[in-house]
C-alpha cells in the first residue's frame, strides 16, 4: 500500500540539485532552489534561477541598450538586439553628429591655442618683471648699504657736533661776559660825557654874551672901514662863506670872495675858549668871527647829539658844510651852489625825508643827499645877525642859539 505520509523523505527533482527533504517541506525548497529552471520575462529563454541575474544584465537580447553615438547626441532608445540595425540605418545622421563634434572641438582647440599664447605672453612678462624686481632688489640692497654707511658717518658727525656745541656754549658764555664788560665801559664813557656837557652849559652862556659883544664890535668896525673888502659893509646883506647880495638888486647877484678874516685877527678874545674846547678851532678859518662862534656852538650841539644817540653825527661827510648837512627843516633858508651858474643861489628847503635828504625850491625833482649837502648847501638864516646893527636881531640870534643848544 502506498505510503502517503507527509514526512516521508524525498529528493529535489531539479536537475543538478541533490537536496533531500520531506514531502511537506519540498514545496518550500522549490521556491528558492538554485537549480529551478525559470523563463526570462523579456526573451522567454529557460535559464536556471542562479544564472538569471547575469542573463538579465549582459546576455538577454531584449535588455535595454544605448546607441554608441548617444554621447554625441543620438537620442534613440534601443534594445541590445536592435543596436546593429540602428547603426546601419542611422549611419549618415551619426556622421553629421560626428562632424558637429569635430567642428566644435576645432573651435575649442583654436580658442585654447590663443589662450595659451596669451598665457605664454603673460608668463614671459612676469618673468621679465621678476628679473626687473630682482635687479631692483639688488640695487636697493646696494643703496641700503650706502645709506647705512652714511648713517654711521652722520651719527659720528652728530656726536662730534654735540661735543663741539658744548665747547661752543662755553665760548659763547665767555663772549657774553666780555660784551657785558664792554657795554659797562661804554655806559661809563657816556655818563662822563653827560657830566662834561653839564659843565659846558655855563660855558655856552658865556659864549652867547661873547657872540653879542663880537657882533657889536663888527658893526662898529664896518662903519669905520666901509671900503674894506674883507668885512661886511653897512647896508648890505652878508652871507657866510662868500654869498653877498646888495639890497635892491636881483636875487641872483654875483658872489664876492669869501671873507678871509681869521680868528687871530678879529677874535683874539676867544683864545681861552679855544683852549677850553681842546683846540677844536685851532687853525684859521675863512669865516667871520661871529660864524666861527656859531660853528663852535654847532660842534657842541653835535657832540651832545653823538652822546645821546651813541654814534657820531654825519661823521662820514667830507664837505665844508658837513655840520649843517642832514639837520635842515622845511622852510629853512639856505644857499645852494649851482654848478651851471658857478654861483651860490638863495633857496628854501621844501621837503625833508627820513634819511636826511632834502629838496629845495630851485630843484623840486632832486633829492639832495647829505654828502651833496655838505658841499652845495649852507644855511643863510644868520644874514640878519651879520648885517643888522640893531639889538633886536642879536636878541633873536641869541634865542635861536639857545634853542639849538
Ligand atoms: Zn532543489
Ligand atoms: Zn532574457
Ligand atoms: Zn544611434
Amino acid at each position: 500500500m502506498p505510503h502517503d505520509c507527509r514526512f516521508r523523505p524525498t529528493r529535489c527533482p531539479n536537475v543538478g540539485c541533490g537536496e533531500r527533504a520531506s514531502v511537506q517541506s519540498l514545496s518550500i525548497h522549490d521556491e528558492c532552489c538554485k537549480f529551478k529552471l525559470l523563463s526570462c520575462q523579456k526573451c522567454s529563454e529557460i535559464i536556471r534561477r542562479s544564472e538569471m541575474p547575469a542573463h538579465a544584465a549582459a546576455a538577454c537580447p531584449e535588455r535595454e541598450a544605448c546607441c554608441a553615438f548617444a554621447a554625441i547626441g543620438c537620442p534613440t532608445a534601443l534594445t541590445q538586439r536592435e543596436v546593429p540595425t540602428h547603426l546601419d540605418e542611422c549611419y549618415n545622421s551619426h556622421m553629421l553628429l560626428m562632424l558637429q563634434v569635430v567642428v566644435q572641438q576645432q573651435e575649442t582647440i583654436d580658442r585654447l591655442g590663443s589662450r595659451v599664447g596669451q598665457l605664454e605672453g603673460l608668463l614671459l612678462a612676469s618673468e621679465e618683471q621678476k628679473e626687473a624686481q630682482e635687479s631692483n632688489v639688488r640695487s636697493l640692497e646696494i643703496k641700503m648699504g650706502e645709506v647705512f654707511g652714511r648713517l654711521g658717518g652722520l651719527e659720528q658727525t652728530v656726536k662730534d657736533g654735540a661735543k663741539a656745541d658744548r665747547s661752543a656754549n662755553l665760548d659763547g658764555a665767555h663772549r657774553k661776559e666780555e660784551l657785558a664788560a664792554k657795554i659797562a665801559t661804554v655806559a661809563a664813557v657816556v655818563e662822563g660825557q653827560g657830566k662834561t656837557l653839564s659843565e659846558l652849559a655855563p660855558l655856552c652862556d658865556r659864549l652867547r654874551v661873547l657872540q653879542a659883544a663880537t657882533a657889536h664890535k663888527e658893526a662898529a668896525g664896518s662903519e669905520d672901514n666901509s671900503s674894506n673888502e674883507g668885512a661886511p659893509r653897512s647896508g648890505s646883506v652878508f652871507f657866510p662863506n662868500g654869498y653877498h647880495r646888495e639890497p635892491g638888486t636881483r636875487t641872483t647877484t654875483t658872489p664876492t670872495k669869501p671873507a678871509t678874516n681869521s680868528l687871530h685877527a678879529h677874535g683874539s678874545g676867544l683864545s681861552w675858549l679855544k683852549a677850553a674846547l681842546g683846540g677844536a678851532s685851532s687853525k684859521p678859518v675863512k669865516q667871520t668871527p661871529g660864524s666861527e662862534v656859531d660853528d663852535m656852538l654847532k660842534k657842541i650841539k653835535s657832540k651832545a647829539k653823538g652822546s645821546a644817540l651813541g654814534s657820531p653825527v654825519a661823521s662820514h661827510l667830507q664837505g665844508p658844510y658837513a655840520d649843517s648837512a642832514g639837520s635842515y627843516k622845511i622852510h629853512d633858508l639856505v644857499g645852494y651852489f649851482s654848478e651851471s651858474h658857478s654861483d651860490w643861489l638863495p633857496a628854501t628847503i621844501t621837503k625833508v625825508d627820513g634819511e636826511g635828504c632834502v629838496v629845495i625850491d630851485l630843484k623840486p625833482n632832486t633829492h639832495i643827499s647829505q654828502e651833496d649837502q655838505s658841499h652845495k648847501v649852507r644855511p643863510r638864516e644868520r644874514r640878519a645877525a651879520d648885517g643888522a646893527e640893531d639889538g633886536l636881531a642879536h636878541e633873536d640870534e641869541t634865542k635861536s642859539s639857545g634853542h639849538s643848544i
Side-chain angles (χ1 to χ4, degrees), residues 46-323:
I46 301 301
I47 299 170
R48 287 180 181 171
R49 173 177 282 151
S50 62
E51 296 171 354
M52 186 58 74
H55 168 81
C60 178
E62 299 298 330
R63 69 181 189 274
E64 292 179 356
C66 289
C67 172
F69 297 91
I72 60 172
C74 179
T76 307
L78 298 169
T79 62
Q80 187 61 37
R81 182 180 51 82
E82 295 168 341
V83 168
T85 307
H86 170 71
L87 290 178
D88 288 340
E89 291 175 350
C90 298
Y91 178 83
N92 290 334
S93 63
H94 287 163
M95 288 302 103
L96 285 174
L97 288 173
M98 285 282 286
L99 184 60
Q100 290 177 0
V101 169
V102 167
V103 170
Q104 289 174 357
Q105 286 182 345
Q106 188 60 48
E107 291 175 352
T108 302
I109 287 170
D110 292 343
R111 194 169 62 248
L112 289 175
S114 65
R115 180 63 179 157
V116 167
Q118 291 177 358
L119 290 174
E120 284 177 348
L122 290 175
L123 181 64
L124 191 62
S126 68
E127 286 179 352
E128 291 175 353
Q129 197 173 3
K130 182 184 171 186
E131 288 180 1
Q133 285 176 346
E134 287 176 352
S135 173
N136 283 339
V137 167
R138 283 193 294 273
S139 63
L140 282 175
E141 285 175 350
I142 294 172
K143 286 180 181 175
M144 284 275 285
E146 294 174 354
V147 167
F148 277 121
R150 291 177 63 185
L151 191 61
L154 286 174
E155 284 177 349
Q156 186 61 39
T157 304
V158 169
K159 288 177 183 174
D160 296 344
K163 291 178 182 176
D165 282 347
R166 282 196 289 274
S167 58
N169 284 335
L170 293 176
D171 291 344
H174 287 308
R175 286 176 188 164
K176 277 184 181 176
E177 291 174 359
E178 291 174 1
L179 281 175
K182 286 180 181 175
I183 288 171
T185 306
V186 171
V189 170
V190 169
E191 189 178 0
Q193 286 181 345
K195 288 180 180 175
T196 305
L197 283 175
S198 62
E199 291 169 359
L200 281 174
L203 196 62
C204 292
D205 292 339
R206 293 187 63 183
L207 265 173
R208 292 192 200 99
V209 175
L210 188 63
Q211 188 178 10
T214 305
H216 278 297
K217 185 178 174 183
E218 287 175 8
S222 66
E223 287 178 354
D224 295 339
N225 303 311
S226 58
S227 61
N228 188 353
E229 184 64 21
R233 282 172 292 187
S234 175
S236 67
V237 180
F238 185 80
F239 291 86
N241 297 327
Y243 187 77
H244 182 80
R245 191 180 73 181
E246 294 292 337
T249 60
R250 291 171 61 239
T251 307
T252 56
T253 56
T254 57
T256 62
K257 293 281 186 178
T260 56
N261 297 333
S262 70
L263 179 66
H264 299 289
H266 286 267
S268 59
L270 299 176
S271 58
W272 64 272
L273 179 60
K274 185 179 68 177
L277 291 177
S281 301
S282 60
K283 64 179 181 181
V285 293
K286 295 178 179 180
Q287 288 178 329
T288 62
S291 66
E292 180 175 359
V293 171
D294 195 54
D295 284 347
M296 289 180 182
L297 288 172
K298 285 179 179 175
K299 283 176 182 172
I300 293 170
K301 174 185 167 187
S302 64
K303 207 172 179 182
K305 278 186 180 177
S307 298
L309 298 175
S311 64
V313 173
S315 62
H316 59 287
L317 301 179
Q318 301 298 321
Y321 309 106
D323 289 341

Side-chain angles (χ1 to χ4, degrees), residues 12-14 17-19 26 29-30 33-36:
C12 174
N14 295 326
C17 181
E19 184 73 15
L26 186 62
H29 166 74
D30 190 68
C33 177
K34 295 189 287 184
F35 295 94
K36 174 78 173 183

